[in-house]
Amino acid sequence: QVQLVESGGGLVQPGGSLRLSCTASISIFSINVMGWYRQAPGKERELVAHIGNSGWTDYADSVKGRFTISRDNAKNTVYLQMNSLKPEDTAVYYCNLIRYGVVYWGKGTLVTVSS
């Protein structure tokens, strides 16, 4: 069973920064793509960013230029650096991976952007 544990969420003022981490219970060396998603209250879960094993990245338009996804295969961890946060970034943030055709999700970490 694959487990993903997110951390790093919290309350931050608009314009502030947070760094989220997601650590997997398995080696992510062979996991091609890992992603961060978010779900705001009353809204559907949406993609925030993906990162491939070769280092390619893909971002939602709403976070381009503000968020950076990275991964450390040696630590089985994927990160999401979030800068210039806005109130509309408030959501529960989830990481995921696909292994042998099965999608695994963490339980999420809450990010609240408010003054």
Side-chain angles (χ1 to χ4, degrees):
Q1 184 72 11
V2 176
Q3 292 185 331
L4 298 170
V5 179
E6 301 96 336
S7 61
L11 174 64
V12 63
Q13 292 186 343
S17 298
L18 282 176
R19 188 194 195 203
L20 306 184
S21 299
C22 171
T23 301
S25 61
I26 61 165
S27 170
I28 65 170
F29 183 80
S30 62
I31 302 298
N32 286 333
V33 180
M34 296 191 69
W36 282 99
Y37 289 72
R38 67 186 181 187
Q39 187 166 17
K43 295 188 177 181
E44 294 186 352
R45 193 172 297 188
E46 62 177 2
L47 172 67
V48 176
H50 277 145
I51 184 167
N53 219 351
S54 63
W56 64 261
T57 57
D58 181 42
Y59 297 91
D61 287 343
S62 59
V63 306
K64 282 181 181 177
R66 301 188 297 123
F67 291 10
T68 302
I69 189 171
S70 61
R71 63 192 285 171
D72 185 337
N73 288 346
K75 295 182 178 180
N76 300 325
T77 299
V78 62
Y79 303 97
L80 186 68
Q81 177 66 43
M82 306 186 296
N83 299 328
S84 302
L85 282 161
K86 304 176 181 179
E88 51 263 43
D89 295 318
T90 295
V92 177
Y93 284 71
Y94 302 88
C95 70
N96 86 338
L97 62 81
I98 301 174
R99 182 172 182 254
Y100 303 135
V102 179
V103 182
Y104 295 92
W105 295 93
K107 294 183 178 180
T109 185
L110 176 63
V111 173
T112 303
V113 185
S114 175
S115 56

